[in-house]
Amino acid sequence: MCQYYEGGRGPRAPGRESALGLGVVTSERMLGICRGRRKFLAASLTVLCIPAITWLYLFAGSFEDGKPVSLSPLESQPHSPRYAAAGQRERESLEVRVREVEEENRALRRQLSLAQGRAPAHRRGNHNKTYSMEEGTGDSENLRAGIVAGNSSECGQQPVVEKCETIHVAIVCAGYNASRDVVTLVKSVLFHRRNPLHFHLIADSIAEQILATLFQTWMVPAVRVDFYNADELKSEVSWIPNKHYSGIYGLMKLVLTKTLPANLERVIVLDTDITFATDIAELWAVFHKFKGQQVLGLVENQSDWYLGNLWKNHRPWPALGRGYNTGVILLLLDKLRKMKWEQMWRLTAERELMGMLSTSLADQDIFNAVIKQNPFLVYQLPCFWNVQLSDHTRSEQCYRDVSDLKVIHWNSPKKLRVKNKHVEFFRNLYLTFLEYDGNLLRRELFGCPSEADVNSENLQKQLSELDEDDLCYEFRRERFTVHRTHLYFLHYEYEPASDNTDVTLVAQLSMDRLQMLEAICKHWEGPISLALYLSDAEAQQFLRYAQGSEVLMSRHNVAYHIVYKEGQFYPVNLLRNVAMKHVGTPYMFLSDIDFLPMYGLYEYLRKSVIQLDLASTKKAMIVPAFETLRYRLSFPKSKAELLSMLDMGTLFTFRYHVWTKGHAPTNFAKWRTATTPYRVEWEADFEPYVVVRRDCPEYDRRFVGFGWNKVAHIMELDAQEYEFIVLPNAYMIHMPHAPSFDITKFRSNKQYRICLKTLKEEFQQDMSRRYGFAALKYLTAENNS
């Protein structure tokens, strides 16, 4: 057997090998190559010299005392019995020796042939290929065993993957939860990959919206994503009764030959609950090992399900032995189409359903029934390509050590709660990618040109036009930062009101305001759209927090949109814009997360929408803002109770003591006695909380962190001739909290304040260009304030 060293695998998991270890492996490999060359030369000389030596030996043996000795009894007649006996023994001895030499010659030729097969990659003359032995793109177990596709010898050239060859991956994904799983799977693939990737996502409308936005804002080089409408494919498989928890989407892998592009020859198909621990190119390289009519690469099922002995009266679908698991599939699409795969699986499913009535494991049952009839279709993958952690798993029989694993598969409804000897290892590997900073995966593939991206090119052009010596460069740069965004992080359901008066509360928050969510949900029963600014690890903490809250889990009309952290500023207006963009109601209440709306405000606003005819007029309804300095507050249940608390000093008008101008135009003195809505005029630095139509202008992204973010928005509403109408029976109360990091920077950093002033002036100049003469009042008001 040939011995191979397993260096150069690439990052299978964080901290895979030390530099010293790599050096030792490299030295041993070089030593092995040198030894191989010496053996090659020695074998060559031996094969050339032995025939000559053999015939010299035989020729010399034909003489006795200088006289020729005949090798054939027909050429010489013995003169005595003694001479005849001696000649006979010598002839037999020579014949034995000739046979031995010929056998040695054949053995040396075989050895020479093997030595040529083991010649180093650079001597085989293809420098553009990635060799599995060198670049970690081969099957390590088969590498050790010397099994090579298309080569009958035990040792030879390994399967190859072109350096910049695109690897195609197909995933069926539907719904909110599956979209989160896809992100973790994609992270694990991107972490290890060294090839361009093309993801083919068969998704419903929800998953497509989520994942399209995610990949668009992720901007990972050398990654292409195409979507295929899963809803249009339902009719292809809806006739199959299915009891699996994946529902109808669990059957859609059956129609991939029909769904994916006709010119796509091969694809790796993955379930969403997969985690990679190695470069996916290693799996792609296994396609080279397919022979004959093999068109499906599958791992054997690692439970006794298809043996039918898990419980009494257990009756599984027919399968070959233990059957095969379809969490990881290699599909040769071109050959499957030629074999008429569509008709093959349909006929099999129709026949088996006559007796089975429904599938238990979705597409897996039908794949196995087809394979039972046509075993030649399958190339059996080594078990480490799909280590299955189901309830009845026998996966421990697959691997000798956890370092052998390449793909783990959480194929159980319980997912991470499965029982397994090494479950902590599996869980930690999964959590590593779950909480891994996705921004770090935006790395280029050196030597592999990426497809031109117009958005990326425009972004780079805009950034290049900025002056890096400008003291406010970081502020200006933030406006062009693309933040990775995961929409609808949790399940969301909303049915619009039939009277078109529905209002969505819009807010943004970071991890330090998470405690406000339950209180807001108790005060506001209508739909809510929230943008959360979190890291990948914080997003998982939020997920655990939300799933552990009865209040939050009982509310399905709250949309949580994760905007992932990047840069040094809090992108407050970007967050507001994300939350606004995904409002599904005609009207929005633009609030902040640390305000609690009065009880019943939702219904009151819906009535006010009709009363003030917001549908056909440009109005911004103002909800007066108050504040308390007490962390524990008996929340006022009416306007009268609130006025009493104002008189007692328990409540105050919002920011009256530090930023009076922000809300002074609301005219709180008039509000105390008002019984009908009243109009107020815009004034400098006015920043009330308003209810507007969904088509109102966005917030200006140049304002980040603390300062002027709402002021600029209200100014633009005024420039677009919105009327500001104060609602007489509405109110909201600001709850106390520790100062944010950004307000601390504003107060302590002089340069921060200078840059904010510069951005304000530039915004006002832009307003003048957009709205003309009417916008001059903003400059005058600013100078007089």
Side-chain angles (χ1 to χ4, degrees), residues 736-756:
H737 55 76
S740 67
F741 177 67
D742 293 280
I743 196 171
T744 303
K745 282 199 297 185
F746 172 81
R747 291 169 177 170
S748 62
N749 190 326
K750 181 181 178 181
Q751 187 59 46
Y752 193 111
R753 296 192 295 274
I754 292 172
C755 287
L756 179 59

Side-chain angles (χ1 to χ4, degrees), residues 513-673:
R513 299 288 189 270
L514 212 56
Q515 73 280 0
M516 290 296 299
L517 291 181
E518 288 189 346
I520 287 177
C521 284
K522 291 176 181 178
H523 280 250
W524 178 272
E525 63 269 27
I528 302 174
S529 181
L530 300 173
L532 296 87
Y533 192 57
L534 307 172
S535 67
D536 291 76
E538 286 174 341
Q540 298 309 312
Q541 293 175 36
F542 159 70
L543 179 63
R544 291 191 289 271
Y545 170 80
Q547 290 177 338
S549 165
E550 291 184 11
V551 174
L552 299 187
M553 284 296 97
S554 66
R555 293 286 299 272
H556 300 298
N557 61 348
V558 181
Y560 302 95
H561 311 297
I562 307 296
V563 177
Y564 287 100
K565 286 184 175 180
E566 188 169 3
Q568 58 176 304
F569 296 104
Y570 184 79
V572 58
N573 281 355
L574 167 67
L575 296 171
R576 289 182 172 129
N577 290 342
V578 169
M580 286 169 56
K581 186 176 180 181
H582 298 95
V583 163
T585 59
Y587 306 100
M588 305 180 296
F589 172 30
L590 304 180
S591 182
D592 271 338
I593 198 65
D594 36 21
F595 278 88
L596 290 181
M598 72 175 199
Y599 291 111
L601 181 61
Y602 171 62
E603 290 298 334
Y604 177 71
L605 292 180
R606 291 181 64 178
K607 293 175 182 176
S608 300
V609 161
I610 299 173
Q611 180 185 356
L612 295 173
D613 191 21
L614 251 65
S616 56
T617 59
K618 277 189 171 183
K619 289 188 176 76
M621 301 191 305
I622 296 174
V623 177
F626 301 86
E627 70 176 331
T628 180
L629 302 180
R630 300 183 179 184
Y631 282 88
R632 293 185 177 182
L633 176 73
S634 178
F635 201 89
K637 295 179 175 59
S638 65
K639 179 177 179 178
E641 190 175 339
L642 180 138
L643 291 175
S644 174
M645 295 173 74
L646 274 173
D647 294 337
M648 293 173 60
T650 307
L651 291 179
F652 309 92
T653 56
F654 185 55
R655 290 288 184 261
Y656 82 101
H657 56 300
V658 292
W659 186 244
T660 306
K661 294 188 296 182
H663 294 266
T666 301
N667 194 344
F668 289 99
K670 184 174 183 177
W671 182 82
R672 293 179 69 103
T673 58

Side-chain angles (χ1 to χ4, degrees), residues 164-177:
C164 294
E165 181 179 351
T166 299
I167 295 171
H168 294 266
V169 180
I171 304 169
V172 178
C173 176
Y176 302 97
N177 295 338

